[in-house]
C-alpha cells in the first residue's frame, strides 16, 4: 500500500499541535505555584493561548487524517511514540528562570515559524498562523523582557539563567532540522524549510542574550528525536500520565 | 412560530443586546466578534470570530447567541467559526470603548498602552503585567491615584 498524500501533512500538523499542547501543559503546571501573582496569571494565560492553538491544529490534523479523530482524541488517546513535539518542550519546568528560558527559546522560533506560515498555500494553516501569531507576539515580548531582566539581574538570577541556557541549548538545534516531512511541506508550499529560519533566530536570540549578559554555549550539538517521534526523553511519558489520566480512566468523559 | 423571516437589521438589533459573558457592560456586537449574519434559505447563519484562540468564553458566547436567537423564534440556526481575518481590538465599536472605560477598563490603544487612568483620567501610568484576569486584558497602575486597573489589550 502506498503512503497516502495526506500523511506528511498530518505529521506536520501534529508537530505544530503537539508543540503547543506539550508546552501549554508544562506551563499550566505552574498554576498556583509561580513566584508572584502576576507571573502566575501570565503563565496561565500563555498556557491558555497555547492550548487554544492546539485545538485549532489538532482539529485540522484529525480532518486531514480522515479517521474521525478529534483534537481531544489526538491529545488524550495517543502514546509517547505518537507525539511529535520538540524535545525542548517536554523538559521539566525547573525553576522559574528555566521555564522562562525555555519559553524564550521556543517563542523566538514559534513566531518566525508562524509568520512564515501566514503565507502557506493551505488556507486553514494560514488562518491558524494569522490568529496564533498575534498571541505569540505577546509571548515573545514577555519572555524577552524576563530573560533580560533575570539575566542582567542579581548574581543569583544571572547564574540561574546561565545554567538554564547551558542546560537547554542542546535542544535548540532540533527546531531547525529538516526531514522528509519538511521537504514535502516545502514542495507543496505549505511550510518553510526549517533551516531557512535559523539565521534570523540566531540574530534575535544572540541580541537578547547579549542584553541579558548571558553567554551562548559554543557547542551546537543537538538532541533529536522529538519531532520525528523516534526518541522522546523519559519526561514526556511522566507528563502524559498526568495529562491523560482522566480520559484514559474514563474514556470520552465530558462535563 | 415565525411566519416571516425577520430582517437582518432586526437580527443585528437582537444581537446588540447579548452581553459579553466576561465583560457584561459591552455587547457581542460592541466587541466586534460577530462578523456576519445571513439567511441561507430558511436557515440563519451567524459567523463568529474568537478574540483569543484559547478564550474559555468562546463556547459560552456561542451558547448565548443561540439562546438569544432561539428566544426570538429562530429555529434553524448555524453558527460558523471564522479565524481569518483574525479578530483585532480595532473592531470594537466606539460605543463599546466608552462603555469599557465607564466600567473601569481602559480601552485598547494602537500605541500599545492605555491613554489615561479610567478612574481619575491621569496620564501617569505604569505597566504591572502584560497579562491580566482574562486573555484580552493586561494590568496597569495609575501612579497618581495609585489604583491598579485592567487595560484591554490592543491586538
Ligand atoms: Zn488614576
Amino acid at each position: 500500500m502506498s503512503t497516502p498524500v495526506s500523511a506528511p501533512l498530518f505529521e506536520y500538523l501534529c508537530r505544530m499541535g503537539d508543540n503547543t499542547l506539550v508546552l501549554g501543559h508544562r506551563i499550566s503546571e505552574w498554576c498556583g505555584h509561580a513566584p508572584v501573582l502576576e507571573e502566575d496569571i501570565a503563565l496561565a494565560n500563555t498556557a491558555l493561548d497555547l492550548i487554544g492553538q492546539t485545538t485549532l491544529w489538532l482539529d485540522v490534523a484529525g480532518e486531514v487524517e480522515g479517521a474521525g479523530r478529534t483534537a481531544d482524541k489526538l491529545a488524550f488517546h495517543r502514546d509517547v511514540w505518537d507525539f511529535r513535539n520538540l524535545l525542548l518542550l517536554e523538559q521539566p519546568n525547573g525553576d522559574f528562570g528555566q521555564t522562562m528560558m525555555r519559553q524564550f527559546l521556543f517563542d523566538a522560533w514559534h513566531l518566525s515559524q508562524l509568520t512564515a506560515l501566514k503565507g502557506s498555500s493551505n488556507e486553514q494553516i494560514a488562518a491558524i498562523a494569522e490568529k496564533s501569531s498575534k498571541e505569540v507576539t505577546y509571548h515573545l515580548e514577555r519572555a524577552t523582557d524576563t530573560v533580560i531582566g533575570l539575566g542582567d539581574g542579581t548574581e543569583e538570577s544571572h547564574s540561574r539563567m546561565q545554567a538554564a541556557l547551558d542546560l537547554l541549548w542542546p535542544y535548540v538545534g532540533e527546531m531547525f532540522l529538516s526531514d522528509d516531512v519538511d521537504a514535502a511541506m516545502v514542495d507543496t508550499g505549505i511550510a518553510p524549510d526549517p533551516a531557512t529560519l535559523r539565521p534570523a533566530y540566531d540574530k534575535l536570540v544572540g541580541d537578547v542574550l547579549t542584553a541579558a549578559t548571558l553567554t551562548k554555549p559554543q557547542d551546537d550539538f543537538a538532541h533529536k528525536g522529538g519531532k520525528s517521534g523516534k526518541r522522546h526523553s523519559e519526561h514526556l511519558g511522566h507528563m502524559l500520565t498526568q495529562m491523560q489520566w482522566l480520559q484514559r480512566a474514563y474514556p470520552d468523559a465530558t462535563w | 412560530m415565525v411566519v416571516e423571516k425577520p430582517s437582518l437589521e432586526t437580527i443585528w438589533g437582537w444581537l446588540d443586546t447579548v452581553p459579553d459573558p466576561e465583560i457584561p457592560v459591552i455587547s457581542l456586537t460592541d466587541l466586534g466578534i460577530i462578523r456576519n449574519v445571513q439567511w441561507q434559505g430558511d436557515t440563519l447563519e451567524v459567523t463568529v470570530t474568537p478574540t483569543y484562540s484559547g478564550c474559555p468564553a468562546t463556547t459560552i458566547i456561542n451558547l448565548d447567541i443561540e439562546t438569544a436567537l432561539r428566544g426570538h423564534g429562530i429555529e434553524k440556526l448555524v453558527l460558523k467559526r471564522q479565524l481569518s481575518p483574525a479578530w483585532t481590538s480595532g473592531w470594537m465599536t466606539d460605543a463599546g470603548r466608552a462603555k469599557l472605560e465607564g466600567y473601569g477598563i481602559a480601552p485598547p490603544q494602537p500605541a500599545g498602552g492605555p491613554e489615561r487612568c479610567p478612574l481619575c483620567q491621569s496620564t501617569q501610568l505604569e505597566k504591572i503585567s502584560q497579562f491580566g484576569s482574562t486573555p484580552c486584558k493586561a494590568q496597569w497602575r495609575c501612579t497618581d491615584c495609585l489604583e491598579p486597573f485592567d487595560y484591554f489589550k490592543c491586538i
Side-chain angles (χ1 to χ4, degrees), chain B residues 117 120 142 145:
Chain B
C117 169
C120 77
C142 171
C145 74

Side-chain angles (χ1 to χ4, degrees), chain B residues 13-110:
Chain B
W14 292 338
L15 293 170
D16 278 339
T17 65
V18 183
D20 174 79
E22 280 175 346
I23 312 171
V25 287
I26 56 170
S27 73
L28 298 182
T29 51
D30 284 332
L31 198 53
I33 57 170
I34 299 181
R35 302 313 300 160
N36 194 31
V37 177
Q38 62 177 13
W39 286 104
Q40 290 282 12
D42 59 352
T43 301
L44 184 67
E45 203 178 84
V46 179
T47 306
V48 186
T49 192
T51 49
Y52 286 79
S53 40
C55 183
T58 308
T59 23
I60 308 294
I61 285 171
N62 285 352
L63 189 69
D64 288 349
I65 293 173
E66 196 173 333
T67 308
L69 295 177
R70 294 216 186 282
H72 285 288
I74 302 289
E75 283 168 7
K76 291 191 177 173
L77 175 67
V78 176
L79 290 179
K80 288 176 64 179
R81 182 185 70 188
Q82 180 179 294
L83 286 182
S84 179
W87 178 79
T88 151
S89 45
W91 288 348
M92 188 180 292
T93 61
D94 287 341
R97 297 172 59 86
K99 283 188 255 180
L100 265 190
E101 192 167 14
Y103 188 60
I105 300 173
Q109 299 295 342

Side-chain angles (χ1 to χ4, degrees), chain A residues 232-249:
Chain A
H232 279 283
S233 60
E234 64 173 301
H235 307 295
L236 182 61
H238 292 286
M239 198 199 94
L240 293 186
T241 58
Q242 284 262 328
M243 190 182 89
Q244 297 181 330
W245 81 267
L246 196 142
Q247 282 295 321
R248 297 296 188 127

Side-chain angles (χ1 to χ4, degrees), chain A residues 37-39 41-43 45-46 48-53 55-56 59 123-124 126-128 130-132 134-135 137-139 141-143 145, chain B residues 49-56 81 83-89 112 127-139 151 153-155:
Chain A
L37 183 61
E38 286 76 13
E39 292 306 331
I41 290 170
L43 285 160
N45 267 295
T46 308
L48 195 63
D49 286 342
L50 293 172
I51 299 298
Q53 293 167 16
T55 312
L56 301 175
D59 267 338
E123 268 181 37
Q124 280 174 299
I128 298 174
E130 183 189 342
K131 183 80 204 156
S132 310
K134 289 189 164 209
E135 295 159 3
T137 300
Y138 255 85
H139 302 171
E141 208 177 300
R142 167 171 170 272
D145 285 353
Chain B
T49 192
T51 49
Y52 286 79
S53 40
C55 183
R81 182 185 70 188
L83 286 182
S84 179
W87 178 79
T88 151
S89 45
K127 183 166 74 180
I128 301 175
S129 172
Q130 265 162 310
F131 292 89
S133 54
T134 64
C136 57
K137 287 177 276 174
Q139 297 174 73
Y151 163 61
K153 292 193 304 208
C154 185
I155 70 163

